[in-house]
Amino acid sequence: MSLQTADAALIDDLVQHIGEGAVSTDPTVLQSHSHDFGKIVDPQLPLAVVFAERVEDVQAALRLASAAGVKVVPRGAGTGVSGGAHAVARCIVLSLERMNRILEIRAEDEVAVVQPGVINAVLNRTVAKHGLMYAPDPASYKESTIGGNVATNAGGLRCAKYGVTTDSVLGLEVVLADGTLISTGRNTFKGVAGYDLTSLLVGSEGTLAVVVSVTVRLRYLSERTCSIAAVFTDVVQAAAGVVAIARVRVQPAILELLDIGTMRVLDAAYGSDLSARGGALLLVRTDGHGAEIEAGIVRSALENLGAQVSEPDDEEAVRLIEMRRASRGDGQDDQYRVGEDIAVPRSAMVDYMGSLDRIAARNNVMVRIVAHAGDGNLHPTFWVDPDDGTEGVARLEAALDESIRAALEVGGTITGEHGVGTVKREWLAWEQSEEVLELQRKIKAVFDPQGILNPGKAIV
C-alpha cells in the first residue's frame, strides 16, 4: 500500500471512529491550523485536522495514528510564539479547542477541574463568582487555553507572586501515544506519592502525552488591589526601584519594568505621553487585605529614589497595567522583528539589560525591553529595517545568538515562559549538558516509543 493510500485510509478511519464533522481536510482549515505565531522554518500542511470533543476522540485519534505511523501535533488556541504547534511532514493536527468544558468547581477545596480547551479568561470569570482566581495570566489569557498553558508551562504578569502554570496544576489526565488514558498527580494541595509525573508533563509541549483534563489549584481573588505607576529617568534607576521594593519586603502581585522603547510603543498605540515623562516605567500591583498598606510602603520607597509616582487610586496606573499586556510590539513578530523570552537571576537583570543594549549597537539592530521584573524574566524585542533585507536578517540572528549566550553567562535560561518549541531548539544544547539531553530523549522514548507525538519540539 502506498503512503498516499495509507494516509487516505487513516482519514477514513478517523471519520468512522470520531465523526465526519470532527475531521477536516479543507485546505483553509489545514493552513490555519498548521502553525502558531512562532517563526516558520519548514512550512508543512497536516493530512487532516481532528477536532476532539471527548476523551474517547483523543484516544481513537492516537490509536489510529500510532497504528499508521502518522505523527500527531496537539494544538490549543495556537497563541504560542515558539513553534510548539507547527505541523510536521505526514502528521495530523489534534485540536483540543472543542474540549472546552469546566468539569467541576470545588470552591471549598479551592480546586477546579477543566478540559484543555477552556480559555484562561473564561475560567477566571467563572471562579470569580466564588471569590477565587486561577493565578497564571499570560498576555494571551483572553484567547489561550489551559491545555496550551500547561503544554508550555506559561507564565504571565502575576508570576511575581503566584508562580507559573506548574505551581497551579495539581493533577492531569493524559492520553499516551498508544491511546492509553492515565491520571497523574492528586486532588490535594500536598502529596508526594511516587515520581512527580505531573510536573514532568507540564511544559513538555505535547511531546509525551496529550492533556485531556487538568486539576488546578485556585487562589483567593482579592477584593482590593492597588496599582502604582512610577516613571524613572532610566532603566538603571527603575531597576533600583525593583531592589528597593525587595528591601522593604513587599511582594507585589505584579511588578513590570518597561524601557523607553516600549513606552514609545504604548504612546503610539494609545496616545499616551509616557516617553515624554522619563526613560523607564515600573508598574506595580499589590493585592490582598494589606494591599493599601503595601502600596503605601512601595510608593514611599520609589519616591525616595526620585521617581514620579502615581497617586493612590489613580486610574491611569490601572490602565497602564492592561496596556502593558500588549506592549511588545505593533503586531506579530516577522522575519525583521523577533521577541525573545529570557530569564536571568534578578540580581543580574540590570547588567543584562545593559548587555542587550551593547549587543544591539554592536550588531546594528534596534532593541526595546519589557520585563517581568519580579522574577527576572525579560522580553527584549530586536528588529531591523526591512529595507536592510537579508543582510539585516543576518545581523538580527547574530544579535539573538549573542543575547542568549549573554543570558547563559550570568546563570540565566533560554526561555522563561514561552517554551522551546522549534524556535529555541538550536540553543537548548547551550544550556543543558549532553547527559541531560540524552536522559530527556530516553524519557521521550518511554512515553512515546514510535516518536509520533509532536516530534522536533521541546528537546533535541
Side-chain angles (χ1 to χ4, degrees), residues 97-431:
E97 60 192 284
R98 294 183 184 176
M99 294 183 67
N100 58 4
R101 293 170 51 220
I102 297 175
L103 301 174
E104 189 178 2
I105 297 174
R106 302 200 303 272
E108 290 187 359
D109 291 331
E110 299 157 29
V111 165
V113 182
V114 303
Q115 291 185 317
V118 171
I119 302 294
N120 185 298
V122 172
L123 175 59
N124 263 302
R125 285 199 301 269
T126 303
V127 300
K129 302 169 187 175
H130 303 278
L132 299 168
M133 70 173 181
Y134 177 63
D137 67 330
S140 59
Y141 75 103
K142 293 182 179 178
E143 297 89 24
S144 64
T145 62
I146 300 298
N149 294 170
V150 169
T152 59
N153 197 10
L157 273 65
R158 289 195 293 245
C159 287
K161 185 172 185 177
Y162 297 103
V164 295
T165 297
T166 191
D167 298 303
S168 291
V169 175
L170 299 175
L172 298 168
E173 283 193 339
V174 301
V175 178
L176 302 179
D178 64 358
T180 301
L181 176 68
I182 66 168
S183 297
T184 71
R186 58 198 188 277
N187 287 303
T188 55
F189 291 169
K190 294 174 68 176
V192 293
Y195 292 151
D196 189 355
L197 296 180
T198 301
S199 292
L200 175 62
L201 290 164
V202 175
S204 62
E205 301 184 39
T207 62
L208 301 180
V210 177
V211 173
V212 292
S213 174
V214 188
T215 301
V216 299
R217 177 178 183 173
L218 304 174
R219 306 283 182 161
Y220 301 132
L221 178 64
S222 177
E223 293 184 1
R224 177 63 171 159
T225 62
C226 295
S227 300
I228 300 167
V231 178
F232 294 84
T233 56
D234 54 35
V235 164
V236 173
Q237 189 190 29
V242 175
V243 173
I245 292 171
R247 284 178 176 162
V248 295
R249 295 299 185 255
V250 171
Q251 178 60 74
I254 293 174
L255 179 53
E256 301 289 302
L257 190 157
L258 288 66
D259 74 350
I260 184 67
T262 306
M263 293 162 73
R264 287 173 181 147
V265 169
L266 292 178
D267 288 346
Y270 299 100
S272 55
D273 65 344
L274 295 171
S275 59
R277 303 187 209 173
L281 176 67
L282 269 189
L283 298 174
V284 187
R285 176 168 290 167
T286 59
D287 65 358
H289 292 297
E292 290 182 352
I293 295 172
E294 291 184 335
I297 295 170
V298 169
R299 191 174 288 107
S300 176
L302 299 183
E303 287 173 344
N304 288 339
L305 292 176
Q308 305 169 43
V309 183
S310 60
E311 296 295 324
D313 298 318
D314 185 346
E315 286 301 313
E316 183 190 44
V318 177
R319 291 195 303 272
L320 284 172
I321 289 177
E322 292 310 307
M323 289 160 60
R324 150 67 187 96
R325 295 183 184 277
S327 64
R328 288 185 61 200
D330 52 355
Q332 294 301 332
D333 298 337
D334 57 28
Q335 68 182 111
Y336 301 107
R337 179 178 65 246
V338 62
E340 261 308 323
D341 166 45
I342 299 161
V344 299
R346 199 168 65 175
S347 60
M349 191 169 61
V350 176
D351 288 343
Y352 180 68
M353 292 175 79
S355 295
L356 290 175
D357 287 334
R358 291 188 291 274
I359 289 168
R362 188 160 52 244
N363 290 280
N364 192 22
V365 304
M366 292 164 281
V367 66
R368 58 178 177 263
I369 306 166
V370 62
H372 301 306
D375 55 21
N377 185 191
L378 299 97
H379 296 303
T381 295
F382 294 95
W383 77 100
V384 294
D385 191 319
D387 291 340
D388 292 348
T390 56
E391 194 274 334
V393 172
R395 298 199 316 269
L396 182 62
E397 291 176 349
L400 287 173
D401 282 351
E402 281 195 51
S403 72
I404 296 295
R405 289 199 184 278
L408 294 173
E409 286 172 2
V410 297
T413 178
I414 65 173
T415 176
E417 59 184 6
H418 291 170
V420 173
T422 58
V423 173
K424 292 176 174 285
R425 285 181 78 229
E426 64 179 295
W427 297 321
L428 190 59
W430 296 3
E431 177 174 339

